[in-house]
């Protein structure tokens, strides 16, 4: 319908608030399931290319008009067919990306995905690096605590329950992996996690023709 700008803006605000409320409810439900030992992983074949595409689209949407770059570095030899809980893997990456974009005002957010091969399949290595506000040593100790939002006075305008990181770490542990974080306050943060996955299709998810004829040069100034 033809509605005026004020009504349209109010509709978008209602939609945004509804999505935020749904996200909070989902976080609380997930946390409750994990604490009660009722969280079940559904492991089935999935295409890693689809997962990467989804998280990149999410990051670009979350970035909006912020003056930051989203940079993606992915090992093209990662098998396209993996076996695991793709929904939960995507949830963890989205949680980390959302935090990185939320607390980065300038510079960039880098998504890096690599692999290491093993007898059972591969270890999927994921890191999310940002040039955001960073985390103090004091806050690092309570980073993964439930319902804990760091530097509340400074970040009170940012929505969140303080459950995202706690849920992410528990999910990674349930998948048989681990997560760690390093940060320099005022300069940025790097979250990394590793999970073991079986392989259903060894074909690389990206195949480049004439690699020897391809030249790529990239310059990135992390301070800007």
């Amino acid at each position: 319908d033809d509605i005026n700008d004020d009504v349209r803006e109010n509709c978008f605000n209602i939609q945004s608030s509804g999505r935020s409320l749904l996200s909070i409810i989902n976080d609380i439900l997930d946390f409750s399931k994990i604490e009660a030992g009722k969280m079940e992983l559904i492991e089935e074949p999935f295409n890693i290319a689809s997962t990467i595409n989804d998280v990149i689209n999410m990051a670009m949407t979350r970035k909006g008009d912020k003056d930051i770059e989203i940079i993606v570095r992915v090992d093209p030899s990662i098998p396209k067919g993996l076996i695991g809980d793709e929904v939960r893997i995507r949830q963890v990456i989205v949680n980390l990306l959302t935090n990185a974009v939320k607390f980065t005002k300038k510079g960039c957010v880098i998504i890096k995905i690599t692999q290491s091969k093993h007898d059972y399949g591969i270890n999927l290595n994921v890191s999310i690096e940002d040039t955001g506000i960073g985390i103090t040593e004091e806050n690092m100790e309570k980073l993964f605590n439930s319902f804990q939002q760091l530097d509340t006075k400074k970040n009170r305008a940012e929505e969140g329950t303080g459950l995202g990181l706690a849920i992410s770490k528990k999910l990674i542990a349930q998948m048989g992996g681990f997560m760690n974080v390093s940060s320099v306050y005022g300069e940025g943060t790097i979250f990394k996690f590793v999970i073991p996955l079986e392989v259903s299709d060894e074909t690389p998810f990206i195949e480049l023709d004439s690699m020897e004829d391809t030249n790529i040069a990239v310059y990135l100034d992390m301070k800007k």
Side-chain angles (χ1 to χ4, degrees):
D1 294 335
D2 185 15
I3 58 177
N4 64 50
D5 291 341
D6 287 341
V7 175
R8 186 180 301 278
E9 183 179 356
N10 287 337
C11 288
F12 280 127
N13 288 338
I14 292 170
Q15 181 186 55
S16 177
S17 296
R19 287 174 175 169
S20 295
L21 180 59
L22 179 61
S23 176
I24 290 171
I25 293 171
N26 284 335
D27 278 351
I28 293 172
L29 289 174
D30 281 346
F31 184 75
S32 299
K33 287 179 183 178
I34 292 172
E35 289 295 287
K38 301 295 185 180
M39 176 66 76
E40 295 183 4
L41 298 179
I42 301 175
E43 297 190 348
E44 54 188 8
F46 69 95
N47 189 327
I48 188 67
S50 176
T51 309
I52 294 170
N53 182 69
D54 287 348
V55 299
I56 292 172
N57 286 336
M58 184 287 308
M60 295 304 295
T61 301
R62 188 68 177 82
K63 176 177 100 73
D65 57 1
K66 273 190 171 184
D67 187 23
I68 61 175
E69 298 294 333
I70 304 293
I71 299 169
V72 183
R73 299 173 57 193
V74 182
D75 179 355
S77 67
I78 294 175
K80 71 177 182 180
L82 301 172
I83 300 175
D85 193 326
E86 193 266 346
V87 171
R88 297 304 178 184
I89 294 171
R90 185 172 66 241
Q91 179 182 351
V92 172
I93 299 175
V94 167
N95 274 342
L96 298 179
L97 270 175
T98 298
N99 277 348
V101 173
K102 184 192 301 184
F103 297 114
T104 301
K105 306 301 181 185
K106 61 179 182 177
C108 64
V109 173
I110 302 174
I111 311 163
K112 184 178 180 181
I113 304 176
T114 61
Q115 67 163 334
S116 56
K117 295 185 177 181
H118 299 272
D119 293 339
Y120 51 78
I122 69 165
N123 275 354
L124 189 70
N125 313 304
V126 179
S127 74
I128 310 293
E129 179 179 358
D130 65 64
T131 57
I133 61 176
I135 305 166
T136 64
E137 291 186 15
E138 176 187 358
N139 282 331
M140 287 282 279
E141 297 178 2
K142 51 187 178 182
L143 186 62
F144 294 103
N145 290 352
S146 307
F147 300 101
Q148 181 72 60
Q149 198 169 30
L150 304 184
D151 210 350
T152 307
K153 290 183 179 180
K154 186 175 182 180
N155 301 317
R156 66 188 310 165
E158 302 291 350
E159 75 280 1
T161 58
L163 284 175
L165 290 178
I167 290 171
S168 296
K169 187 170 185 179
K170 290 178 184 292
L171 284 175
I172 292 299
Q174 192 169 345
M175 293 181 201
F178 63 90
M179 177 183 291
N180 58 42
V181 57
S182 59
S183 183
V184 177
Y185 189 62
E187 294 186 13
T189 303
I190 305 175
F191 281 93
K192 296 181 180 180
F193 71 82
V194 178
I195 50 173
L197 296 171
E198 296 180 17
V199 176
S200 61
D201 187 341
E202 293 278 0
T203 307
F205 89 101
I206 294 177
E207 292 185 289
L208 297 177
D209 295 329
S210 304
M211 268 293 279
E212 65 277 3
D213 298 328
T214 303
N215 296 303
I216 301 174
V218 177
Y219 171 75
L220 174 64
D221 187 346
M222 295 286 284
K223 299 298 182 182
K224 292 186 177 180

